[in-house]
Amino acid sequence: MGGGEIAAALNHELRQQGLPPYESVPEEMDFVRGSGQAFEEKLIPSMDGFGTLCQTHLSRGEVETVCGWTVLVPFSLDEEIWLPIDSSYSESSTMVAGAPQVLAIAERLATAIDLPAETPQMCDNLDLTMWFMNGAAKELAAAQPGPWSDDLDTAFYVALFLRAAQHSVRRGCPIVYA
């Protein structure tokens, strides 16, 4: 899946819908830890609890939006755009979702589990992964238990999708699920 191929197909589809092309992608910045300019995480924990949480609190369409995107763009879309381009997770399509829509859904999930404010917000290279996997989340869970601490794997994915959407909107940049 090439970025140029996806950008061209997305812009073609946007024009077909009477929308302007997406051409204002910010330049990549040098990595500076803590700046919130780069977003990268590893999907290590099981997603089973997250899937159950989504099915409990979301409509089928919302589950597809928050869990099914391959590319997240920083602007609203009336509905997801399916591009006939192979992705890392599908041999036939790439789904583009609007970050504002994913953000609204992820915020509802964060509220449902009462995700703590201490969860890293300006995430850079593996900040969430390290916070959840290296003990800081477990320490906070012991000191501040709640629905979020019942399943830290689920809380990780809620935080991941929330922070990805926030990052996309804040930076005005796409995020690719690869």
Side-chain angles (χ1 to χ4, degrees):
M1 168 175 74
E5 182 182 11
I6 291 171
L10 175 60
N11 283 335
H12 173 76
E13 186 61 33
L14 291 171
R15 281 192 288 282
Q16 294 289 95
Q17 294 181 19
L19 299 169
Y22 174 43
E23 298 173 338
S24 61
V25 178
E27 289 188 31
E28 206 168 310
M29 307 286 288
D30 289 336
F31 180 72
V32 177
R33 183 160 296 288
S35 69
Q37 299 299 308
F39 188 89
E40 179 182 351
E41 297 295 339
K42 298 287 184 197
L43 308 181
I44 297 169
S46 167
M47 288 187 83
D48 293 344
F50 181 72
T52 300
L53 177 73
C54 288
Q55 291 174 354
T56 301
H57 292 277
L58 305 175
S59 71
R60 184 174 171 198
E62 290 169 327
V63 171
E64 185 170 304
T65 298
V66 79
C67 296
W69 60 267
T70 310
V71 178
L72 196 58
V73 292
F75 51 87
S76 290
L77 295 172
D78 289 336
E79 60 185 36
E80 296 81 23
I81 296 175
W82 291 90
L83 304 175
I85 298 172
D86 293 353
S87 71
S88 299
Y89 298 96
S90 171
E91 293 183 15
S92 61
S93 62
T94 292
M95 193 251 266
V96 180
Q101 286 80 14
V102 172
L103 178 57
I105 296 166
E107 286 173 337
R108 286 183 28 225
L109 293 173
T111 298
I113 66 165
D114 197 20
L115 190 69
E118 292 85 354
T119 306
Q121 294 186 28
M122 296 293 280
C123 301
D124 287 308
N125 189 338
L126 306 177
D127 286 347
L128 285 173
T129 302
M130 301 306 280
W131 193 76
F132 276 95
M133 303 302 133
N134 285 350
K138 290 176 186 152
E139 291 172 14
L140 183 63
Q144 186 180 328
W148 78 278
S149 65
D150 293 341
D151 181 348
L152 292 180
D153 290 351
T154 296
F156 169 78
Y157 285 105
V158 170
L160 174 81
F161 287 106
L162 177 67
R163 299 303 186 229
Q166 289 170 333
H167 179 84
S168 180
V169 170
R170 182 180 67 252
R171 288 266 299 124
C173 68
I175 293 184
V176 177
Y177 192 115

